[in-house]
Amino acid sequence: MYFSTFYIDLRELLINVFKVMQYIKCGAEKFEFEIKPLGGLCKRCQKEIPVVSLTTQNLKLCKSCFNAIQEKRVYETVKKFRMFNKEDRIGIFLSGGKDSASLATLLKRLFPDYSFQGIYLNLGIGYYSEYAEKTVRELCEKIELPLFVYNLPKEEGFSIDEFVFTNFRDKICSVCGVIKRYLFSKMAKALGLTVIATGHHLDDLLSTYLTLFFNGDFLSLKRLSPVNLPLYPGQAKKVKPLCQIPERELFYYAILNELPLEGCACPHGEITPAKKIKFLIEELSKENRTFKYQLMSVFLNKFLPLLKEEIKEETQFKPCLRCGEPTASANELCNHCRRIELLERVKDRRLELTFEEWLKYSQGESKESWVIFDVREKEDYLKGALPEAKWISKDLLENERELIKTFKPFRDKNLLFYCYTGRLSYFFTLKLRKLGFKAYNLKHPEEIFNKVDTLQKNV
Ligand code: FES
Ligand code: ZN
């Protein structure tokens, strides 16, 4: 039996009726799902109340049938592409997002007696990483998946955020990808994993296929398939069991099954070329609901076999001079180590100041050199704020043009930010750093608010 039977009872349905679930993705894309009865009976079981509709067919389903369809798709994909078997040790990389949460849940339900290992990589992206780690821990507890957490700042001495100090400042996602891939294969080796399962879904694969195609990168295209065999000894096989599921349906799956999901998007979310292509595919699918499957079938059944025949793989791997890991890079260092070297050349990598540091700083001689901004609600600012603080609306984060316009007059100054928890101000700091401003976040704002009165008297 490869699908579970979960029935949505009336009480659960009533609780969820008209509840709009929202999910904000990296890159500011928003997904919404309103759980409500869709009228009539489920098209599959003809018994239950339908609450969700498939995106690729006009099929209204109850929760149980929707789950069964997704589980069947994953089961068939795993079997068709011979992704893993009972003897394998399978790592599942978790991010706190809907895709990896659904992947882990689906695999645990479908293959209860297989050996799975959850892995979370804390990238040190301020509040986002902490929140995601908490979510991943909750998920693993819920689905009883053993979890291994690797903390990048603690283990390697740097965080992804620090790349805002380098010329990669507006390409953080791509640096992040290089670092993640490197550490994932290192962890897979250390944990003795033979297979790595990732949450790449139908939309991910299609947008990557088209991006590579438009770039004429046929070698990478050839390597991109639902299963990637190891390229050198000791490397784990990489599999994508969700490659037949549209992204939006994974979101529905995660919400219907009440999986813990991170509530905020990565502050580095960039609109990459692949994301733009994803929007385009989405547009084309509005006219033809099966478009995504047609495209996938052309790639898998026609184009990839052709590429495999035509393109001869002659990649030579040699050990990286710095870390010793096999690399195909033309340089002596692997891509990961080249980026780390770049980071090491930057001396002052500070994004946050403590209250004491700020006090010392603000009472120093160079008052002209800094400006402090309050990004809380205006009424709270009016009730009491740090001396000399200017109020700005948090909405500026959503509008890059306005953001640049607002801060242009302060181009040469050091910009300091604070809010209630330090989270919003951190987002401002990161965003402005990426735009070339010198910004800092005030850490532990609660300490500041306790002292606002005293400060106002003193200044
Ligand atoms: Fe890597 Fe956002 S998670 S940059
Ligand atoms: Zn290296």
Side-chain angles (χ1 to χ4, degrees), residues 26-27 95 123 125 128-129 160-161 171-177 180 262 265-270 275 434:
C26 214
S95 66
L123 298 159
I125 303 181
Y128 168 74
S129 292
I160 291 296
D161 280 347
K171 293 190 203 88
I172 304 276
C173 286
S174 88
V175 183
C176 179
K180 274 200 282 206
E262 63 188 341
C266 169
H268 297 298
E270 294 146 10
K275 280 179 193 162
K434 286 169 142 195

Side-chain angles (χ1 to χ4, degrees), residues 119-250:
I119 299 163
Y120 175 70
L121 173 59
N122 184 319
L123 298 159
I125 303 181
Y127 301 84
Y128 168 74
S129 292
E130 293 315 312
Y131 192 73
E133 182 174 330
K134 196 173 146 262
T135 312
V136 166
R137 287 188 187 279
E138 274 173 39
L139 173 80
C140 289
E141 223 176 279
K142 181 175 169 123
I143 61 172
E144 295 177 11
L145 176 70
L147 175 66
F148 175 79
V149 175
Y150 191 85
N151 189 299
L152 183 69
K154 279 192 199 137
E155 303 289 336
E156 311 276 331
F158 71 91
S159 73
I160 291 296
D161 280 347
E162 291 172 35
F163 282 95
V164 294
F165 301 105
T166 70
N167 51 4
F168 280 108
R169 65 167 75 94
D170 52 359
K171 293 190 203 88
I172 304 276
C173 286
S174 88
V175 183
C176 179
V178 170
I179 308 283
K180 274 200 282 206
R181 278 193 292 279
Y182 175 86
L183 289 171
F184 283 165
S185 61
K186 209 170 134 182
M187 277 188 271
K189 227 193 256 179
L191 294 167
L193 305 175
T194 51
V195 177
I196 292 174
T198 55
H200 294 100
H201 43 68
L202 182 64
D203 300 67
D204 277 336
L205 252 84
L206 293 179
S207 54
T208 314
Y209 281 144
L210 288 181
T211 312
L212 294 173
F213 180 80
F214 293 145
N215 288 340
D217 187 352
F218 296 124
L219 183 63
S220 304
L221 242 178
K222 185 191 150 189
R223 287 187 192 147
L224 199 74
S225 85
V227 173
N228 288 102
L229 295 172
L231 287 171
Y232 50 84
Q235 198 189 33
K237 180 174 161 186
K238 291 181 190 142
V239 301
K240 305 174 185 76
L242 305 181
C243 65
Q244 301 287 350
I245 306 190
E247 178 174 19
R248 207 165 278 274
E249 289 178 23
L250 288 171

